[in-house]
Amino acid sequence: MAFDEIIFANEDESFMLEALKEAEAASNEGEVPVGAVIVKDGEIIARAHNRVERDSSSSAHAEMLAIEKAEKALGGKWLIGADMYVTLEPCSMCAGALVLSRLQRLVIGAADPKTGACGSMLNIAANDKLNHRIEIKRGVLEEECSQLLKEFFKAKR
């Protein structure tokens, strides 16, 4: 895809483009094209893409890997004041990890109606029974995020 041709309307789109670049890297490696970046104080502190196949690990999702990198960058387990931009709505594992990390805000590209745990199937990220809730913004560069996934799975079939 030609991500360099995207004209940004705002900062959220600019950071989502960086997540899309990560998703494209995943696709090029034969991984499901999901990418994530974590931003704090206007700067990217972590970036990652799916590595499930490469690492032979069901937990090597873009979000999990980005959380680990961000924690190392910040020197602690809390991501207070940080935002994540992710191309596909997180699953329950990732949504739980985001809540536990105290992420401030989650910006989602494409919804995941089958396994999305941030508003589609359920909403772990905003569950009022948990000790932390994450502000969620959906649909940022949704068409670009969805298209990358559609092209990946079409090529696999």
Side-chain angles (χ1 to χ4, degrees):
M1 286 185 111
F3 296 126
D4 295 332
E5 297 172 12
I6 297 172
I7 298 172
F8 307 112
N10 55 51
E11 190 174 70
D12 283 344
E13 289 184 359
S14 179
F15 287 125
M16 187 60 77
L17 172 66
E18 295 303 315
L20 271 165
K21 289 176 182 176
E22 287 294 322
E24 188 171 50
S27 181
N28 291 339
E29 295 171 11
E31 300 280 355
V32 174
V34 177
V37 297
I38 297 179
V39 176
K40 183 159 168 85
D41 300 324
E43 300 290 328
I44 294 174
I45 60 169
R47 57 176 59 236
H49 57 271
N50 276 1
R51 290 191 344 212
V52 172
E53 300 303 325
R54 176 180 144 196
D55 294 357
S56 294
S57 171
S58 60
S59 66
H61 290 196
E63 300 95 325
M64 300 295 285
L65 299 170
I67 289 168
E68 185 177 332
K69 289 178 180 181
E71 290 169 342
K72 286 180 182 171
L74 295 175
K77 63 182 179 179
W78 306 126
L79 300 181
I80 296 168
D83 304 337
M84 176 181 279
Y85 294 80
V86 64
T87 58
L88 181 65
E89 180 180 357
C91 69
S92 57
M93 172 184 67
C94 295
L98 291 170
V99 168
L100 292 173
S101 74
R102 308 292 194 272
L103 186 79
Q104 173 181 291
R105 186 167 168 259
L106 177 65
V107 181
I108 300 168
D112 185 347
K114 293 183 180 178
T115 63
C118 296
S120 290
M121 286 292 295
L122 58 129
N123 198 340
I124 292 171
N127 188 316
D128 62 3
K129 293 182 179 168
L130 299 175
N131 64 341
H132 179 74
R133 280 156 296 291
I134 301 169
E135 176 187 337
I136 300 171
K137 182 174 181 179
R138 302 171 70 83
V140 174
L141 298 184
E142 182 174 16
E143 181 58 36
E144 292 83 352
C145 294
S146 294
Q147 189 62 35
L148 187 58
L149 286 157
K150 288 175 188 171
E151 288 174 6
F152 176 81
F153 286 112
K154 184 179 179 181
K156 287 283 184 194
R157 293 184 179 118

